[in-house]
Amino acid sequence: MSIQNVAVIGSGTMGNGITHVFALYDYTVQLVDISDNIIQKSINIISKNLDRQIGKNIIDETKKKSALNNIKAVVGIEKINYDTDLIVEAVSENKELKLSIFNKLDDIIKPESIFATNTSSISITELAVKRPEKFIGMHFMNPVPVMKLVEVIKGYSTSLETFDKIVRLVKNLDKVPVLVNDFPGFVSNRVLIPMINEAIFALHEGVADKEAIDTVMKLGMNHPMGPLQLADFIGLDICLDIMNVIYTGYNDSKYRPCPLLKKMVAANKLGRKTGEGFYKY
Ligand code: NAI
């Protein structure tokens, strides 16, 4: 069975980016969310992002039209086609919500289809309660139409056949799949978030001020953005949640979240989304 018919569940930041890419590469995509209003807003964002690609001469008007034609709005997971080859779940980062969705889908979708999750921190193995051999992590990066990497995460029981199919699919989307095993934070967040946490410790302990810390990492390590600026961009609440997943997942004090990070989240200084984090917006 080759993958042609995809359903992306959740049309938020990640869901609309993932849908954009599948539609552009001629897959049929059912874009699923809880209301038509939310889905239409997401399709408008996709349309604007396609325009941006036209402006950069990456695609033309005909390609945009065919991409939008490949997207079908679906309200509620019950309405997803039985014949769907692949589910890519991108709903909010909540384990119970994700589990309940896969539970229901198992009764609705043909048994051969693959279940993938875009979770950034929840264990793939713990989510793979239904059809564990056909369950896999597909961790796209934000913004999806721009970023090349997809971490392909094997759960404990993910079959080689499932893994191979997803690797081929990711290459067909002109992205680069990287094999990762199922451990807290995978690779991307295991390395990135503790680095951000360490930068916050450096600020907390008075090693340097925030501009100095960001400048060292930008000019000294060639990072496009300093770690504190990046934390504001990601959201300090998200950084804290992921840090806690890694800390409890490994039971290792080296991953303890910095007290300053906890305090800022408690004060609702979450970064760009609340207008203030380490910097003001
Ligand atoms: P978001 O909050 O922007 O979007 C979530 C969407 O899911 C919303 O549109 C919501 O209405 C929808 N939803 C909730 N319950 C639903 C249900 N029962 N049926 C259908 N749709 C439902 O979230 P975002 O940022 O797109 O994150 C989605 C997933 O991707 C999370 O697991 C997150 O950890 C992961 N992720 C996020 C990244 C980011 O930079 N935002 C990067 C990589 C992964």
Side-chain angles (χ1 to χ4, degrees):
M1 177 200 78
S2 79
I3 295 172
Q4 183 48 45
N5 200 340
V6 179
V8 175
I9 308 180
S11 67
T13 311
M14 295 307 287
N16 79 54
I18 296 166
T19 301
H20 175 134
V21 172
F22 274 115
L24 203 53
Y25 284 83
D26 283 331
Y27 291 84
T28 309
V29 196
Q30 302 161 74
L31 178 55
V32 190
D33 211 302
I34 49 177
S35 83
D36 196 46
N37 195 20
I38 297 177
I39 301 173
Q40 290 314 323
K41 275 192 193 145
S42 173
I43 292 176
N44 284 340
I45 294 172
I46 295 173
S47 175
K48 281 195 191 123
N49 289 336
L50 288 166
D51 284 337
R52 201 174 292 172
Q53 289 181 308
I54 293 174
K56 290 183 182 161
N57 286 325
I58 299 170
I59 59 166
D60 58 19
E61 280 289 349
T62 319
K63 200 72 205 150
K64 173 183 172 183
K65 228 171 151 189
S66 75
L68 289 175
N69 275 335
N70 287 335
I71 303 172
K72 183 171 168 257
V74 174
V75 180
I77 58 170
E78 310 74 29
K79 304 224 179 73
I80 300 175
N81 266 336
Y82 173 79
D83 269 334
T84 305
D85 304 313
L86 169 71
I87 299 287
V88 182
E89 170 277 311
V91 302
S92 331
E93 189 73 339
N94 176 314
K95 188 174 169 186
E96 270 57 54
L97 175 63
K98 288 179 192 285
L99 279 172
S100 83
I101 285 175
F102 286 117
N103 235 327
K104 286 185 200 147
L105 288 178
D106 192 46
D107 294 332
I108 299 172
I109 314 297
K110 64 180 176 187
E112 309 88 90
S113 77
I114 294 175
F115 285 179
T117 174
N118 185 53
T119 179
S120 46
S121 64
I122 303 170
S123 157
I124 304 303
T125 309
E126 286 175 28
L127 287 176
V129 174
K130 298 291 177 181
R131 40 184 105 174
E133 314 80 38
K134 294 195 163 63
F135 200 103
I136 196 157
M138 278 181 94
H139 188 208
F140 288 86
M141 304 290 129
N142 184 23
V144 183
V146 178
M147 301 294 276
K148 284 278 180 198
L149 173 71
V150 180
E151 276 186 305
V152 179
I153 304 136
K154 272 169 105 171
Y156 190 85
S157 306
T158 308
S159 71
L160 200 57
E161 191 192 348
T162 301
F163 175 74
D164 286 343
K165 274 188 187 163
I166 295 301
V167 164
R168 247 179 286 135
L169 172 75
V170 170
K171 288 181 180 163
N172 280 343
L173 298 174
D174 201 20
K175 301 216 177 280
V176 179
V178 173
L179 163 65
V180 174
N181 289 310
D182 186 23
F183 286 97
F186 313 132
V187 171
S188 50
N189 286 326
R190 163 89 180 262
V191 177
L192 176 68
I193 304 294
M195 182 201 70
I196 288 175
N197 193 52
E198 201 58 33
I200 303 172
F201 264 115
L203 178 68
H204 177 62
E205 291 166 8
V207 179
D209 65 23
K210 57 179 186 260
E211 288 85 3
I213 293 167
D214 278 347
T215 303
V216 166
M217 296 307 284
K218 274 193 287 186
L219 300 187
M221 319 300 157
N222 235 355
H223 289 195
M225 216 187 258
L228 301 173
Q229 195 190 355
L230 182 57
D232 278 357
F233 183 76
I234 295 171
L236 270 57
D237 52 339
I238 306 282
C239 292
L240 178 58
D241 284 347
I242 297 176
M243 208 57 216
N244 274 325
V245 166
I246 300 173
Y247 178 45
T248 51
Y250 288 104
N251 287 316
D252 189 334
S253 64
K254 79 174 174 180
Y255 296 119
R256 71 204 180 285
C258 177
L260 177 59
L261 173 61
K262 289 191 191 169
K263 191 155 72 174
M264 288 177 72
V265 171
N268 205 38
K269 308 287 183 210
L270 305 182
R272 269 174 196 266
K273 60 182 160 192
T274 57
E276 188 180 344
F278 294 104
Y279 299 91
K280 286 205 165 84
Y281 299 92

